[in-house]
Amino acid sequence: IYVEFKDGIYARQVSIYNSDGKRISDYQVKSHEPRLEIQIPQPSAGMYLLRLVLNDGTMVSRKIISK
């Protein structure tokens, strides 16, 4: 999964949850890159929730479907 940011915005923390709401992965982001690659460990078919905490304090959530 690739996530791109605009104008000085970057992720500080990334969490991935499965469809049952269980957190399956948690990352502290150490770079300020405008593009972030996220790996889902042992992905299986289903829906996942990607939660990002950005450097300006906002939180973003996105649904991801894996086939």
Side-chain angles (χ1 to χ4, degrees):
I1 301 167
Y2 291 97
V3 180
E4 293 191 29
F5 304 101
K6 298 179 184 177
D7 301 326
I9 301 296
Y10 56 89
R12 291 188 316 185
Q13 184 176 6
V14 177
S15 300
I16 301 172
Y17 299 85
N18 65 14
S19 58
D20 295 328
K22 180 181 175 188
R23 184 171 39 205
I24 59 172
S25 200
D26 213 7
Y27 304 98
Q28 294 293 325
V29 181
K30 296 186 175 31
S31 71
H32 300 170
E33 296 296 320
R35 182 179 166 118
L36 180 63
E37 180 180 4
I38 301 165
Q39 301 282 330
I40 297 177
Q42 301 175 346
S44 58
M47 185 180 73
Y48 295 90
L49 179 67
L50 175 67
R51 181 178 170 266
L52 303 165
V53 177
L54 305 179
N55 64 313
D56 65 358
T58 60
M59 286 185 272
V60 178
S61 298
R62 296 288 182 255
K63 289 180 188 174
I64 301 165
I65 308 282
S66 177
K67 295 181 181 182

